[in-house]
Amino acid sequence: ADFFLRWLHVVAAIFWVGLALGFLRLNLNIKSRRTATVRAADDGFFIIARTMAPPEEIEPQIGWFRWEAYVVWLSGMALLVLRYFWQADLYLIDPARLPLATWQAIALVIVFLVVSWLAYDFLCKAKTGCSETTRRMAIFLLLAACAFAATQVFSGRGAFIVTGAIVGTIMAANVAHVLVPNQRRMLAAARASEAQDEARFAASRQRALHNNYLVLPVLFLMLSVHYPLAYAGRFNWLVAILALVVGAAIRHFFVARHRGEGNLWWTWAVAVAGAVAMAALSYAGARTDY
């Protein structure tokens, strides 16, 4: 069960991440130009253009990456139950940190997942008049707080997986509760020749961009189980937070490039500095009392 669930989880994640990043690149690339672009292909040329009119001859697929997102989340939750709930005393609970009963640890994980999504959704929808940059900073602080809290409650390995599950849940919920429903409503409005709700466009752009920035951090958190030095040290919470910074910095470079805003090389300096800091903190925080 563990093998096949992992295989399913990884394959579905490759499809979801690949499609999502490819679509975002296509969308940003088109929006940065006023005319259609022509690309060369092995067997000819194809034209990339954007239209708000729904196709008449075919039925568009609604939420064309939704099933990949759902399978990733469901298989991830199944793995969480199989490995970290079923064997909580081995992988999730650290008696030296907090002596939890199995049911308490499981309940806390569920609380983490639900509360983090509700808090994130509230921050996205809050009508505060603040800039989008300020909103993103608030979301980063929320995720950083979740990472810190998880490392104070669970084992290092369990904390990284729980933090990754929080990020993954936010990403999948964005697809299920915002992107797909908004796409359905926008398609229905276009076919009925009704004016589009710009707020729905803005919400979809916002959540899709958040998912894009969270892709690399969640991959690091999920793969970190193979590297105990990353999650088992005293400064594991800082390593997890820096993973958010490094991943976001790398994605920001490509987002700016695809928008036609140039190559922001300083983002790579931030990423390298963050990666070096992660390595240094892992070594500095390693336990020596074995």
Side-chain angles (χ1 to χ4, degrees):
D2 185 276
F3 171 81
F4 283 109
L5 280 173
R6 285 180 184 273
W7 184 81
L8 176 64
H9 189 59
V10 170
V11 170
I14 290 172
F15 277 104
W16 181 23
V17 171
L19 286 171
L21 295 186
F23 176 75
L24 182 69
R25 176 177 181 176
L26 177 66
N27 192 38
L28 292 176
N29 187 271
I30 293 175
K31 288 176 69 176
S32 66
R33 295 171 171 84
R34 295 187 178 276
T35 60
T37 60
V38 179
R39 301 289 189 190
D42 293 337
D43 54 353
F45 299 89
F46 58 90
I47 299 175
I48 304 173
R50 183 186 182 96
T51 177
M52 296 305 298
E56 296 292 341
E57 67 279 5
I58 60 173
E59 179 70 21
Q61 183 180 356
I62 301 297
W64 45 273
F65 55 81
R66 61 175 175 166
W67 292 115
E68 288 88 348
Y70 299 163
V71 171
V72 170
W73 188 83
L74 289 172
S75 59
M77 288 299 106
L79 281 169
L80 185 67
V81 171
L82 182 66
R83 178 57 65 91
Y84 292 89
F85 287 3
W86 192 265
Q87 304 174 83
D89 56 338
L90 184 61
Y91 292 114
L92 188 60
I93 299 172
D94 183 356
R97 186 171 296 281
L98 194 62
L100 296 169
T102 297
W103 71 268
Q104 292 174 321
I106 294 172
L108 280 174
V109 172
I110 295 172
V111 168
F112 266 84
L113 295 176
V114 173
V115 171
S116 60
W117 159 250
L118 293 176
Y120 164 81
D121 191 54
F122 172 79
L123 288 174
C124 288
K125 295 178 178 177
K127 306 294 185 181
T128 59
C130 64
S131 67
E132 197 61 30
T133 300
T134 303
R135 193 187 304 272
R136 292 170 190 163
M137 183 57 65
I139 292 170
F140 167 76
L141 293 176
L142 168 66
L143 295 177
C146 289
F148 176 77
T151 58
Q152 305 308 303
V153 174
F154 305 112
S155 67
R157 175 171 175 166
F160 271 47
I161 287 296
V162 169
T163 305
I166 288 171
V167 177
T169 297
I170 287 173
M171 294 173 66
N174 278 340
V175 173
H177 295 289
V178 179
L179 298 178
V180 171
N182 281 359
Q183 190 181 26
R184 289 185 183 278
R185 295 186 183 101
M186 287 187 288
L187 177 61
R191 287 185 163 170
S193 299
E194 298 174 355
Q196 293 287 350
D197 185 353
E198 180 57 33
R200 297 196 189 281
F201 280 115
S204 294
R205 286 193 296 267
Q206 176 194 61
R207 303 301 179 100
L209 196 62
H210 291 176
N211 279 9
N212 173 62
Y213 277 93
L214 293 174
V215 162
L216 297 184
V218 76
L219 289 177
F220 172 85
L221 292 168
M222 292 307 183
L223 293 174
S224 66
V225 298
H226 300 291
Y227 303 96
L229 201 60
Y231 64 73
R234 296 191 306 273
F235 306 117
N236 54 2
W237 59 278
L238 275 175
V239 173
I241 292 173
L242 283 172
L244 297 171
V245 175
V246 171
I250 294 172
R251 284 309 305 160
H252 188 61
F253 172 86
F254 289 102
V255 168
R257 187 174 186 178
H258 298 155
R259 279 176 172 166
E261 297 174 358
N263 297 320
L264 304 183
W265 296 113
W266 63 264
T267 57
W268 288 101
V270 172
V272 170
V276 171
M278 291 166 68
L281 289 168
S282 296
Y283 279 101
R287 293 177 57 182
T288 58
D289 56 341
Y290 292 114

